[in-house]
Amino acid sequence: MANSQMLSGNTTYLADFWDDSYKTQLLGIVIAIAGNFLISISLNLQKYTHVRLSRQKDPEPYYKSVLWWCAIILMGIGELGNFAAYGFAPATLVAPLGCVSVIASAIISVAFLKETLQASDLLGGALAIAGTYLLVTFAPNISQNVTAFKVQKYLVSWQFLVYLFFEIIVFCILLYLYKKKDLKHIVVVLMLVALLASLTVISVKAVAGMITESVKGHLQLTYPIFYVMLIIMVASCAFQVKFLNQAMGIFDATEVVPINFVFFTASAIIAGVIFYQEFYGVALLNIFMFLFGILLSFLGVFLIARNRERKKSEVPFIDIDQVPGQKSMDKIQPDASSISYGSLDAEAKPLGNKDGELKDTASNLLSSHKP
């Protein structure tokens, strides 16, 4: 009888724990998805603002546009939502949900910015949505009560110390290659971003978790570890943004966005597994399906992002304002159906008094551009 009552009590306790844990994690998922959706709206609003200003005869600075500031506010709310999500859901789940921003941005750009929808966009969106479903379904369901005591315990665990030592060594090597050897390869730059991102994820979850516990009534803000993690969060974010901006300045966005998403997600998952032990006790099938969902998300993001290329002029021109002895700023337009350059534009002014001078100038330009 006593054993029966004990078993019944344990079953009730586990059911209540599972129910509370699931609701908390579901709240984190909803907040993360909503935050990423707001970020995608913000990015498209910023793009629309720049496009609209560029069409004006005398465009004003973008920072004077009300629409641009609305987009920035939405961006802040979205990032705040992502920050809050780490306090309710595992880091291994919140980080991959960043693919929602890519999916939503592609849909919004097609619907409102009238961008071209291609078959690869549909396939990429379907893969990313399927991956997101698997992520949410098979994510580790663990208690997310992040306290100051737990963070201190995790910081001195041998797993994290080995991981931190390895990360510092790799970071120093990559930084040496990037700064001293001038190795400007996209993998090198984004690996620096990813290594910093792992510290960002660890510190963000620690800070968000301790704030969440404090709101629940268990004050954690009096512990020094809270402010240590806050400093790590700010510093790692600042350097991460610095290297990411450098990557955007060197490489095309269609390369940076998918590769950075893959590296950031991988670093966040590794950080969550090693520091917060989020896969501890999870069934092997759940881990496999979770990782398969991440793989589908990666493929979807690559397919969507690779078609977002910068639009270039379809009819290039050659500026001949630097031709010696000429004062005109006119341009020679190439003939699209021929390998040679055509005549001057109909509205152009003649460069010389004789037709022979014009032909000689065009001939010289043609010969100077041959390989």
Side-chain angles (χ1 to χ4, degrees):
M1 184 69 177
N3 292 335
S4 175
Q5 292 177 346
M6 183 178 297
L7 180 61
S8 176
N10 290 336
T11 304
T12 304
Y13 171 77
L14 289 174
D16 293 340
F17 172 78
W18 174 264
D19 187 55
D20 292 341
S21 179
Y22 180 76
K23 287 181 179 178
T24 301
Q25 183 164 307
L26 183 61
L27 177 61
I29 293 171
V30 172
I31 294 174
I33 292 176
N36 284 297
F37 185 73
L38 289 178
I39 290 173
S40 65
I41 295 176
S42 170
L43 293 174
N44 282 278
L45 277 179
Q46 292 181 57
K47 183 176 181 180
Y48 174 75
T49 302
H50 288 290
V51 171
R52 190 179 67 173
L53 291 176
S54 67
R55 293 175 179 174
Q56 296 179 0
K57 186 175 181 181
D58 297 316
E60 61 180 4
Y62 63 88
Y63 53 82
K64 290 186 178 181
S65 172
V66 176
L67 188 61
W68 185 83
W69 280 108
C70 291
I72 294 300
I73 292 174
L74 286 178
M75 175 74 76
I77 297 175
E79 293 293 354
L80 186 62
N82 275 339
F83 173 81
Y86 281 100
F88 298 98
T92 50
L93 175 59
V94 176
L97 287 177
C99 66
V100 173
S101 178
V102 180
I103 300 171
S105 182
I107 295 174
I108 293 172
S109 63
V110 171
F112 297 99
L113 298 181
K114 307 304 179 183
E115 293 189 1
T116 305
L117 180 65
Q118 300 183 12
S120 59
D121 294 327
L122 295 176
L123 178 60
L127 289 175
I129 292 173
T132 303
Y133 173 78
L134 293 178
L135 288 173
V136 174
T137 303
F138 295 98
N141 186 47
I142 60 175
S143 175
Q144 291 299 309
N145 298 324
V146 179
T147 63
F149 175 76
K150 284 185 178 180
V151 174
Q152 291 174 351
K153 178 183 176 182
Y154 294 149
L155 275 175
V156 296
S157 63
W158 69 267
Q159 300 98 322
F160 175 69
L161 292 177
V162 171
Y163 170 73
L164 183 62
F165 175 77
F166 177 76
E167 183 175 279
I168 292 174
I169 296 297
V170 174
F171 184 85
C172 292
I173 293 173
L174 292 175
L175 190 62
Y176 173 77
L177 294 175
Y178 179 65
K179 293 292 186 181
K180 298 298 182 180
K181 297 298 182 179
D182 199 31
L183 184 59
K184 299 296 190 295
H185 194 278
I186 189 170
V187 173
V188 173
V189 183
L190 294 183
M191 275 295 293
L192 290 170
V193 176
L195 292 174
L196 290 168
S198 65
L199 294 179
T200 302
V201 169
I202 290 172
S203 56
V204 164
K205 183 167 180 61
V207 172
M210 285 187 276
I211 291 177
T212 302
E213 289 298 309
S214 299
V215 172
K216 291 179 180 179
H218 310 289
L219 187 61
Q220 305 291 315
L221 307 186
T222 57
Y223 293 92
I225 190 62
F226 172 81
Y227 300 97
V228 171
M229 300 306 288
L230 182 63
I231 293 172
I232 294 175
M233 180 185 73
V234 174
S236 61
C237 280
F239 285 103
Q240 184 182 340
V241 170
K242 175 185 176 182
F243 285 114
L244 188 58
N245 284 334
Q246 291 178 2
M248 292 293 288
I250 299 173
F251 308 101
D252 192 86
T254 56
E255 297 176 293
V256 174
V257 170
I259 296 177
N260 181 63
F261 173 73
V262 171
F263 284 3
F264 173 82
T265 303
S267 66
I269 292 173
I270 294 173
V273 170
I274 294 178
F275 191 85
Y276 292 103
Q277 303 174 13
E278 292 180 346
F279 278 173
Y280 181 77
V282 179
L284 186 60
L285 177 61
N286 283 37
I287 295 176
F288 174 79
M289 295 302 295
F290 180 81
L291 296 178
F292 182 65
I294 291 175
L295 178 61
L296 291 181
S297 299
F298 287 170
L299 292 175
V301 170
F302 266 100
L303 288 174
I304 294 173
R306 74 170 188 171
N307 292 320
R308 306 298 170 190
E309 298 179 356
R310 296 174 182 173
K311 293 183 179 180
K312 298 181 180 180
S313 175
E314 295 180 358
V315 185
F317 63 86
I318 298 174
D319 195 341
I320 60 173
D321 60 322
Q322 297 182 354
V323 175
Q326 305 296 339
K327 296 182 180 180
S328 176
M329 300 290 288
D330 295 325
K331 303 171 179 61
I332 293 181
Q333 301 294 339
D335 186 354
S337 61
S338 174
I339 61 172
S340 62
Y341 291 101
S343 60
L344 284 176
D345 184 68
E347 299 179 359
K349 297 179 182 179
L351 293 175
N353 295 327
K354 299 180 180 179
D355 292 340
E357 295 179 6
L358 177 59
K359 293 179 180 178
D360 291 340
T361 302
S363 178
N364 292 335
L365 281 171
L366 175 60
S367 61
S368 65
H369 282 81
K370 288 183 178 180

